[in-house]
Amino acid sequence: MEQMKKTKFFLDTASLDEILYWKKFDLVDGVTTNPKLLSDQNCEPLKRVKEICKNVTGPVSAQITETDEKNMIEQGIMLSKISKNIVVKIPLIENGVSVAKTLAKKKIRLNITLGFDPSQVLFFRNIDISYFSFIVGRVEDFGVSNRENISKLKQIININKMKCELLCASIRNTEQLIVSIISGSEIITVPPKTWKSILNNKFSLDGQKDFLNSWIDLKKNKKGYTL
Ligand code: G3P
């Protein structure tokens, strides 16, 4: 069996507070932003991306928001100059393929996002992209599962000798996180909300409450008893 590498975890957020908080848990090997995440922050987007780059040593993805090919290329070049650790995120639309080709030739690090079908990666098989982002959670909102497709995508990448890393995104719960890890995704970008719900597992919290209540009873009834 192929020896798998340790999974890297990016934080899917544009919040600096969240980045600083989750860094304490060693869960910020990089950061992914997108236009929605930046918009939710109600901040000046370019300034925020620059701040994120300063606070994170790993790769920081910033997404192209233009849709016309020429403008996309210009915006990609502009974004690539923000910082050494910036990665230009390109949406998987028709123009995205030619834009990726142009920016890759300029040695700009690229993250192709909004991958929903494993076959879509084939459009980039001869382009030097760093990451292919595969959306796991969002499709489940529409009653469709992409879980089994993760390992199929991984195989397609391997068979075609692509150098890009598979990055599973849109992780809404522990099941999606686990399947992404065991299917061989090199990187998983996780929103802070998902980490929070995993950390604060109901049974862990209830168990702790139960143990502590018993402990308080012991201290009440047997004075002087301690650990
Ligand atoms: O950036 C792509 C992905 O992280 C989007 O996540 O939760 O908006 O589907 P979500």
Side-chain angles (χ1 to χ4, degrees), residues 59-72:
V60 175
S61 290
Q63 188 165 332
I64 286 177
T65 52
E66 296 290 341
T67 49
D68 163 84
E69 186 174 334
K70 185 173 162 289
N71 294 341
M72 286 174 83

Side-chain angles (χ1 to χ4, degrees), residues 12 34 36-37 40 114 116 134-144 147 150 168-180 188-199:
D12 201 20
N34 64 38
K36 183 177 185 300
L37 291 171
D40 289 348
L114 292 171
F116 281 87
F134 192 60
I135 307 296
V136 181
R138 186 173 278 260
V139 283
E140 293 189 16
D141 298 348
F142 306 101
V144 181
R147 297 185 190 190
I150 303 168
C168 280
S170 185
I171 304 296
R172 308 262 165 92
N173 53 49
T174 185
E175 290 82 12
Q176 292 166 0
L177 179 67
I178 292 167
V179 77
S180 302
I188 302 169
T189 189
V190 184
K193 196 174 153 204
T194 304
W195 280 130
K196 196 98 193 151
S197 74
I198 293 173
L199 182 59

Side-chain angles (χ1 to χ4, degrees), residues 7-219:
T7 315
K8 282 180 270 181
F9 294 101
F10 289 179
L11 201 64
D12 201 20
T13 189
S15 158
L16 265 179
D17 289 344
E18 294 285 8
I19 290 167
L20 298 177
Y21 180 77
W22 293 101
K23 261 172 110 170
K24 291 186 276 186
F25 295 86
D26 212 5
L27 287 167
V28 189
D29 295 321
V31 167
T32 48
T33 69
N34 64 38
K36 183 177 185 300
L37 291 171
L38 283 160
S39 163
D40 289 348
Q41 290 292 307
N42 202 14
C43 57
E44 204 283 279
L46 194 57
K47 193 166 161 246
R48 176 59 60 90
V49 172
K50 285 179 184 169
E51 282 169 337
I52 294 174
C53 286
K54 276 190 202 140
N55 281 280
V56 174
T57 46
V60 175
S61 290
Q63 188 165 332
I64 286 177
T65 52
E66 296 290 341
T67 49
D68 163 84
E69 186 174 334
K70 185 173 162 289
N71 294 341
M72 286 174 83
I73 292 169
E74 278 173 16
Q75 192 184 21
I77 294 171
M78 180 278 289
L79 289 173
S80 74
K81 292 179 180 156
I82 288 178
S83 167
K84 265 194 201 150
N85 55 342
I86 201 83
V87 176
V88 175
K89 208 174 182 188
I90 302 180
L92 213 162
I93 53 173
E94 253 184 79
N95 279 345
V97 181
S98 46
V99 169
K101 206 176 268 184
T102 305
L103 296 183
K105 279 187 191 143
K106 294 181 186 295
K107 304 281 173 220
I108 293 173
R109 278 205 292 170
L110 304 175
N111 175 2
I112 305 302
T113 191
L114 292 171
F116 281 87
D117 171 350
S119 306
Q120 287 175 301
V121 79
L122 295 171
F123 290 97
F124 302 90
R125 75 193 194 288
N126 293 325
I127 305 176
D128 187 9
I129 59 169
S130 299
Y131 312 106
F132 185 81
S133 289
F134 192 60
I135 307 296
V136 181
R138 186 173 278 260
V139 283
E140 293 189 16
D141 298 348
F142 306 101
V144 181
S145 172
N146 239 343
R147 297 185 190 190
E148 288 185 6
N149 279 333
I150 303 168
S151 56
K152 292 177 188 164
L153 171 56
K154 180 80 185 136
Q155 286 181 60
I156 293 175
I157 290 173
N158 288 344
I159 290 167
N160 285 281
K161 306 206 178 334
M162 293 181 68
K163 284 190 221 127
C164 67
E165 290 185 291
L166 171 56
L167 192 163
C168 280
S170 185
I171 304 296
R172 308 262 165 92
N173 53 49
T174 185
E175 290 82 12
Q176 292 166 0
L177 179 67
I178 292 167
V179 77
S180 302
I181 296 170
I182 64 175
S183 301
S185 182
E186 282 94 354
I187 305 164
I188 302 169
T189 189
V190 184
K193 196 174 153 204
T194 304
W195 280 130
K196 196 98 193 151
S197 74
I198 293 173
L199 182 59
N200 293 314
N201 178 289
K202 181 189 178 319
F203 296 106
S204 303
L205 297 180
D206 286 353
Q208 164 72 346
K209 212 195 264 172
D210 187 30
F211 293 159
L212 282 187
N213 283 339
S214 298
W215 185 247
I216 288 164
D217 284 347
L218 172 79
K219 302 269 286 177

